mmCIF file of all heavy atoms in Angstrom:
data_model
loop_
_atom_site.group_PDB
_atom_site.id
_atom_site.type_symbol
_atom_site.label_atom_id
_atom_site.label_comp_id
_atom_site.label_asym_id
_atom_site.label_seq_id
_atom_site.Cartn_x
_atom_site.Cartn_y
_atom_site.Cartn_z
ATOM 1 N N PHE A 9 8.097 23.182 -0.537
ATOM 2 C CA PHE A 9 8.979 24.208 -1.067
ATOM 3 C C PHE A 9 8.417 25.557 -0.623
ATOM 4 O O PHE A 9 7.265 25.648 -0.201
ATOM 5 C CB PHE A 9 9.000 24.193 -2.599
ATOM 6 C CG PHE A 9 9.627 22.989 -3.237
ATOM 7 C CD1 PHE A 9 8.878 21.834 -3.497
ATOM 8 C CD2 PHE A 9 10.957 23.009 -3.639
ATOM 9 C CE1 PHE A 9 9.443 20.731 -4.104
ATOM 10 C CE2 PHE A 9 11.533 21.908 -4.252
ATOM 11 C CZ PHE A 9 10.775 20.776 -4.493
ATOM 12 N N SER A 10 9.204 26.612 -0.733
ATOM 13 C CA SER A 10 8.682 27.974 -0.578
ATOM 14 C C SER A 10 9.351 28.835 -1.639
ATOM 15 O O SER A 10 10.520 28.621 -1.977
ATOM 16 C CB SER A 10 8.957 28.520 0.824
ATOM 17 O OG SER A 10 10.336 28.534 1.117
ATOM 18 N N THR A 11 8.597 29.803 -2.175
ATOM 19 C CA THR A 11 9.150 30.578 -3.278
ATOM 20 C C THR A 11 8.455 31.920 -3.436
ATOM 21 O O THR A 11 7.400 32.175 -2.847
ATOM 22 C CB THR A 11 9.032 29.788 -4.597
ATOM 23 O OG1 THR A 11 9.845 30.410 -5.600
ATOM 24 C CG2 THR A 11 7.587 29.741 -5.092
ATOM 25 N N ASP A 12 9.079 32.762 -4.247
ATOM 26 C CA ASP A 12 8.438 33.961 -4.773
ATOM 27 C C ASP A 12 8.498 33.850 -6.294
ATOM 28 O O ASP A 12 9.013 32.866 -6.835
ATOM 29 C CB ASP A 12 9.116 35.243 -4.254
ATOM 30 C CG ASP A 12 10.619 35.266 -4.538
ATOM 31 O OD1 ASP A 12 11.076 34.621 -5.513
ATOM 32 O OD2 ASP A 12 11.346 35.947 -3.793
ATOM 33 N N ASP A 13 7.992 34.842 -7.003
ATOM 34 C CA ASP A 13 7.963 34.745 -8.467
ATOM 35 C C ASP A 13 9.362 34.720 -9.083
ATOM 36 O O ASP A 13 9.558 34.165 -10.165
ATOM 37 C CB ASP A 13 7.150 35.898 -9.061
ATOM 38 C CG ASP A 13 5.654 35.615 -9.059
ATOM 39 O OD1 ASP A 13 5.253 34.531 -9.532
ATOM 40 O OD2 ASP A 13 4.887 36.469 -8.591
ATOM 41 N N ILE A 16 10.421 31.039 -9.293
ATOM 42 C CA ILE A 16 9.483 30.083 -9.892
ATOM 43 C C ILE A 16 10.122 29.225 -10.992
ATOM 44 O O ILE A 16 9.902 28.000 -11.032
ATOM 45 C CB ILE A 16 8.234 30.828 -10.443
ATOM 46 C CG1 ILE A 16 7.217 31.046 -9.318
ATOM 47 C CG2 ILE A 16 7.579 30.067 -11.566
ATOM 48 C CD1 ILE A 16 6.391 29.820 -8.966
ATOM 49 N N LEU A 19 12.151 26.552 -9.280
ATOM 50 C CA LEU A 19 11.237 25.643 -8.596
ATOM 51 C C LEU A 19 10.695 24.621 -9.588
ATOM 52 O O LEU A 19 10.628 23.425 -9.303
ATOM 53 C CB LEU A 19 10.083 26.424 -7.970
ATOM 54 C CG LEU A 19 8.886 25.588 -7.501
ATOM 55 C CD1 LEU A 19 9.234 24.788 -6.259
ATOM 56 C CD2 LEU A 19 7.661 26.474 -7.239
ATOM 57 N N ILE A 39 3.762 20.703 -1.836
ATOM 58 C CA ILE A 39 3.089 21.922 -1.387
ATOM 59 C C ILE A 39 4.075 23.082 -1.448
ATOM 60 O O ILE A 39 5.160 23.011 -0.859
ATOM 61 C CB ILE A 39 2.548 21.757 0.047
ATOM 62 C CG1 ILE A 39 1.587 20.564 0.103
ATOM 63 C CG2 ILE A 39 1.868 23.042 0.516
ATOM 64 C CD1 ILE A 39 1.281 20.091 1.500
ATOM 65 N N VAL A 40 3.697 24.132 -2.153
ATOM 66 C CA VAL A 40 4.575 25.294 -2.330
ATOM 67 C C VAL A 40 4.022 26.455 -1.506
ATOM 68 O O VAL A 40 2.965 27.012 -1.815
ATOM 69 C CB VAL A 40 4.666 25.697 -3.814
ATOM 70 C CG1 VAL A 40 5.631 26.866 -3.973
ATOM 71 C CG2 VAL A 40 5.115 24.507 -4.663
ATOM 72 N N LEU A 41 4.736 26.842 -0.456
ATOM 73 C CA LEU A 41 4.336 27.957 0.387
ATOM 74 C C LEU A 41 4.739 29.270 -0.272
ATOM 75 O O LEU A 41 5.828 29.385 -0.847
ATOM 76 C CB LEU A 41 4.995 27.849 1.767
ATOM 77 C CG LEU A 41 4.752 26.539 2.530
ATOM 78 C CD1 LEU A 41 5.509 26.563 3.858
ATOM 79 C CD2 LEU A 41 3.270 26.302 2.750
ATOM 80 N N ASN A 42 3.861 30.262 -0.195
ATOM 81 C CA ASN A 42 4.142 31.544 -0.835
ATOM 82 C C ASN A 42 3.282 32.623 -0.203
ATOM 83 O O ASN A 42 2.385 32.336 0.592
ATOM 84 C CB ASN A 42 3.882 31.456 -2.345
ATOM 85 C CG ASN A 42 2.417 31.241 -2.654
ATOM 86 O OD1 ASN A 42 1.645 32.186 -2.821
ATOM 87 N ND2 ASN A 42 2.000 29.968 -2.707
ATOM 88 N N THR A 43 3.548 33.870 -0.590
ATOM 89 C CA THR A 43 2.717 34.988 -0.129
ATOM 90 C C THR A 43 2.243 35.802 -1.332
ATOM 91 O O THR A 43 2.241 37.028 -1.324
ATOM 92 C CB THR A 43 3.469 35.892 0.867
ATOM 93 O OG1 THR A 43 4.739 36.256 0.313
ATOM 94 C CG2 THR A 43 3.685 35.193 2.196
ATOM 95 N N GLY A 44 1.848 35.067 -2.373
ATOM 96 C CA GLY A 44 1.326 35.711 -3.570
ATOM 97 C C GLY A 44 2.206 35.464 -4.775
ATOM 98 O O GLY A 44 3.370 35.850 -4.780
ATOM 99 N N LEU A 45 1.645 34.814 -5.790
ATOM 100 C CA LEU A 45 2.365 34.504 -7.023
ATOM 101 C C LEU A 45 1.477 34.806 -8.219
ATOM 102 O O LEU A 45 0.252 34.827 -8.119
ATOM 103 C CB LEU A 45 2.762 33.012 -7.050
ATOM 104 C CG LEU A 45 3.714 32.517 -5.955
ATOM 105 C CD1 LEU A 45 3.766 30.990 -5.979
ATOM 106 C CD2 LEU A 45 5.105 33.105 -6.134
ATOM 107 N N LYS A 46 2.093 35.022 -9.364
ATOM 108 C CA LYS A 46 1.332 35.243 -10.581
ATOM 109 C C LYS A 46 0.574 33.963 -10.944
ATOM 110 O O LYS A 46 1.171 32.879 -10.971
ATOM 111 C CB LYS A 46 2.257 35.635 -11.732
ATOM 112 C CG LYS A 46 2.964 36.974 -11.533
ATOM 113 C CD LYS A 46 3.907 37.249 -12.681
ATOM 114 C CE LYS A 46 4.636 38.582 -12.483
ATOM 115 N NZ LYS A 46 5.621 38.849 -13.555
ATOM 116 N N ILE A 50 1.841 29.814 -11.437
ATOM 117 C CA ILE A 50 1.275 28.675 -10.709
ATOM 118 C C ILE A 50 0.763 27.620 -11.684
ATOM 119 O O ILE A 50 1.022 26.422 -11.530
ATOM 120 C CB ILE A 50 0.140 29.144 -9.779
ATOM 121 C CG1 ILE A 50 0.696 30.011 -8.642
ATOM 122 C CG2 ILE A 50 -0.633 27.948 -9.217
ATOM 123 C CD1 ILE A 50 -0.359 30.605 -7.742
ATOM 124 N N GLU A 64 0.389 21.608 -5.098
ATOM 125 C CA GLU A 64 -0.508 22.627 -4.552
ATOM 126 C C GLU A 64 0.288 23.870 -4.173
ATOM 127 O O GLU A 64 1.469 23.785 -3.828
ATOM 128 C CB GLU A 64 -1.220 22.093 -3.297
ATOM 129 C CG GLU A 64 -1.946 20.780 -3.500
ATOM 130 C CD GLU A 64 -2.336 20.149 -2.177
ATOM 131 O OE1 GLU A 64 -2.634 20.909 -1.229
ATOM 132 O OE2 GLU A 64 -2.323 18.906 -2.087
ATOM 133 N N PHE A 65 -0.383 25.010 -4.201
ATOM 134 C CA PHE A 65 0.213 26.275 -3.779
ATOM 135 C C PHE A 65 -0.617 26.837 -2.639
ATOM 136 O O PHE A 65 -1.840 26.961 -2.756
ATOM 137 C CB PHE A 65 0.262 27.269 -4.935
ATOM 138 C CG PHE A 65 1.326 26.955 -5.948
ATOM 139 C CD1 PHE A 65 1.147 25.931 -6.876
ATOM 140 C CD2 PHE A 65 2.511 27.680 -5.972
ATOM 141 C CE1 PHE A 65 2.127 25.638 -7.813
ATOM 142 C CE2 PHE A 65 3.498 27.395 -6.906
ATOM 143 C CZ PHE A 65 3.306 26.376 -7.826
ATOM 144 N N LEU A 66 0.045 27.170 -1.528
ATOM 145 C CA LEU A 66 -0.658 27.720 -0.376
ATOM 146 C C LEU A 66 -0.137 29.124 -0.082
ATOM 147 O O LEU A 66 1.037 29.308 0.250
ATOM 148 C CB LEU A 66 -0.462 26.832 0.849
ATOM 149 C CG LEU A 66 -1.139 27.343 2.133
ATOM 150 C CD1 LEU A 66 -2.661 27.353 1.963
ATOM 151 C CD2 LEU A 66 -0.737 26.490 3.334
ATOM 152 N N ASP A 67 -1.018 30.110 -0.212
ATOM 153 C CA ASP A 67 -0.687 31.494 0.114
ATOM 154 C C ASP A 67 -0.846 31.664 1.626
ATOM 155 O O ASP A 67 -1.953 31.567 2.156
ATOM 156 C CB ASP A 67 -1.622 32.447 -0.639
ATOM 157 C CG ASP A 67 -1.226 33.914 -0.500
ATOM 158 O OD1 ASP A 67 -0.686 34.277 0.563
ATOM 159 O OD2 ASP A 67 -1.472 34.689 -1.440
ATOM 160 N N ILE A 68 0.268 31.930 2.326
ATOM 161 C CA ILE A 68 0.230 32.045 3.784
ATOM 162 C C ILE A 68 0.346 33.504 4.235
ATOM 163 O O ILE A 68 0.755 33.778 5.367
ATOM 164 C CB ILE A 68 1.330 31.185 4.441
ATOM 165 C CG1 ILE A 68 2.729 31.656 4.015
ATOM 166 C CG2 ILE A 68 1.130 29.713 4.111
ATOM 167 C CD1 ILE A 68 3.847 31.003 4.816
ATOM 168 N N SER A 69 -0.031 34.426 3.369
ATOM 169 C CA SER A 69 0.082 35.855 3.677
ATOM 170 C C SER A 69 -0.581 36.212 5.003
ATOM 171 O O SER A 69 0.010 36.914 5.845
ATOM 172 C CB SER A 69 -0.537 36.691 2.563
ATOM 173 O OG SER A 69 0.133 36.494 1.344
ATOM 174 N N GLU A 70 -1.811 35.747 5.204
ATOM 175 C CA GLU A 70 -2.531 36.086 6.424
ATOM 176 C C GLU A 70 -1.859 35.479 7.652
ATOM 177 O O GLU A 70 -1.801 36.105 8.716
ATOM 178 C CB GLU A 70 -3.987 35.617 6.341
ATOM 179 C CG GLU A 70 -4.831 36.393 5.333
ATOM 180 C CD GLU A 70 -6.294 35.998 5.385
ATOM 181 O OE1 GLU A 70 -6.691 35.277 6.341
ATOM 182 O OE2 GLU A 70 -7.042 36.403 4.481
ATOM 183 N N TYR A 71 -1.307 34.283 7.497
ATOM 184 C CA TYR A 71 -0.708 33.594 8.634
ATOM 185 C C TYR A 71 0.544 34.316 9.140
ATOM 186 O O TYR A 71 0.813 34.337 10.347
ATOM 187 C CB TYR A 71 -0.359 32.152 8.247
ATOM 188 C CG TYR A 71 0.041 31.300 9.425
ATOM 189 C CD1 TYR A 71 -0.921 30.672 10.216
ATOM 190 C CD2 TYR A 71 1.376 31.146 9.769
ATOM 191 C CE1 TYR A 71 -0.560 29.908 11.313
ATOM 192 C CE2 TYR A 71 1.754 30.382 10.870
ATOM 193 C CZ TYR A 71 0.777 29.768 11.638
ATOM 194 O OH TYR A 71 1.145 29.017 12.733
ATOM 195 N N VAL A 72 1.322 34.907 8.222
ATOM 196 C CA VAL A 72 2.583 35.547 8.627
ATOM 197 C C VAL A 72 2.467 37.063 8.732
ATOM 198 O O VAL A 72 3.459 37.746 8.964
ATOM 199 C CB VAL A 72 3.727 35.172 7.663
ATOM 200 C CG1 VAL A 72 3.956 33.669 7.656
ATOM 201 C CG2 VAL A 72 3.453 35.686 6.252
ATOM 202 N N ALA A 88 11.156 34.260 1.587
ATOM 203 C CA ALA A 88 10.414 32.995 1.482
ATOM 204 C C ALA A 88 11.054 31.882 2.304
ATOM 205 O O ALA A 88 10.375 30.924 2.691
ATOM 206 C CB ALA A 88 10.296 32.573 0.021
ATOM 207 N N TYR A 91 9.414 30.663 5.622
ATOM 208 C CA TYR A 91 8.114 30.000 5.659
ATOM 209 C C TYR A 91 8.181 28.583 6.208
ATOM 210 O O TYR A 91 7.193 28.067 6.748
ATOM 211 C CB TYR A 91 7.474 29.991 4.267
ATOM 212 C CG TYR A 91 7.309 31.353 3.631
ATOM 213 C CD1 TYR A 91 7.122 31.478 2.254
ATOM 214 C CD2 TYR A 91 7.360 32.516 4.393
ATOM 215 C CE1 TYR A 91 6.972 32.734 1.660
ATOM 216 C CE2 TYR A 91 7.220 33.768 3.807
ATOM 217 C CZ TYR A 91 7.028 33.867 2.441
ATOM 218 O OH TYR A 91 6.903 35.101 1.855
ATOM 219 N N LEU A 98 0.827 24.919 10.361
ATOM 220 C CA LEU A 98 -0.068 24.964 9.212
ATOM 221 C C LEU A 98 -0.593 23.587 8.825
ATOM 222 O O LEU A 98 -1.687 23.469 8.258
ATOM 223 C CB LEU A 98 0.660 25.589 8.018
ATOM 224 C CG LEU A 98 0.928 27.095 8.097
ATOM 225 C CD1 LEU A 98 1.937 27.510 7.029
ATOM 226 C CD2 LEU A 98 -0.366 27.887 7.936
#
Side-chain angles (χ1 to χ4, degrees):
F9 292 87
S10 58
T11 193
D12 55 27
D13 277 310
I16 276 282
L19 166 72
I39 302 165
V40 182
L41 304 178
N42 66 90
T43 51
L45 298 169
K46 295 177 181 177
I50 292 175
E64 306 166 33
F65 286 77
L66 179 65
D67 188 328
I68 62 170
S69 298
E70 291 186 11
Y71 190 84
V72 299
Y91 304 161
L98 288 166

